[in-house]
Amino acid sequence: MNNPPDFMALWDYQDPAASALRFQQLLAESDNQDLQYELELLTQIARTHSLRRQFAQAHQLLDEIEPRLTDATPRARLRALLERGRTFNSAGDKASARALFEQGWQLGLKLGE
């Protein structure tokens, strides 16, 4: 996608279901040429599940993303770590969340994010 929309500006944290619909629409409209963008959108869809306390769905989507992450998708990898951490945190598993947040922090530093 030549000029992908700023999907972060489309977030409505008070209405994660509506945000999910917007992200799914962006995904359907994408030209599948930008793997990083696609995977980042999917991490945000996973986040909408976490915010709705649909932890199994969030983990399932993150599990589907994981094998598609490559060295060419570092920002998507960072987002996947953060969203997995958020999912564990929201579900009450603070230890698992912390480990993922620390990995995300280190990767973010390395990437300059």
Side-chain angles (χ1 to χ4, degrees):
M1 187 173 265
N2 290 338
N3 290 311
D6 177 11
F7 59 83
M8 294 307 292
L10 299 175
W11 255 108
D12 179 352
Y13 296 101
Q14 302 305 311
D15 191 351
S19 295
L21 290 174
R22 283 191 289 277
F23 298 145
Q24 290 165 344
Q25 183 176 0
L26 283 175
L27 200 55
E29 293 170 357
S30 74
D31 57 14
N32 295 320
Q33 296 296 318
D34 189 341
L35 180 61
Q36 175 134 282
Y37 178 75
E38 177 186 344
L39 295 177
E40 284 185 83
L41 263 176
L42 289 170
T43 67
Q44 297 310 288
I45 293 170
R47 186 175 189 181
T48 70
H49 286 298
S50 289
L51 289 172
R52 292 178 282 168
R53 306 198 60 76
Q54 298 170 342
F55 305 124
Q57 292 94 323
H59 281 298
Q60 180 180 354
L61 184 51
L62 292 166
D63 288 346
E64 292 170 12
I65 294 166
E66 184 75 26
R68 299 180 65 201
L69 296 169
T70 69
D71 289 341
T73 60
R75 212 172 45 248
R77 182 177 304 281
L78 174 57
R79 287 190 188 277
L81 287 168
L82 294 176
E83 298 315 330
R84 178 86 68 183
R86 286 180 173 134
T87 301
F88 278 126
N89 190 58
S90 294
D93 185 347
K94 306 297 185 194
S96 294
R98 181 182 177 104
L100 289 161
F101 290 149
E102 288 174 354
Q103 287 177 35
W105 174 257
Q106 292 303 316
L107 181 57
L109 288 174
K110 180 180 173 184
L111 298 175
E113 294 282 339

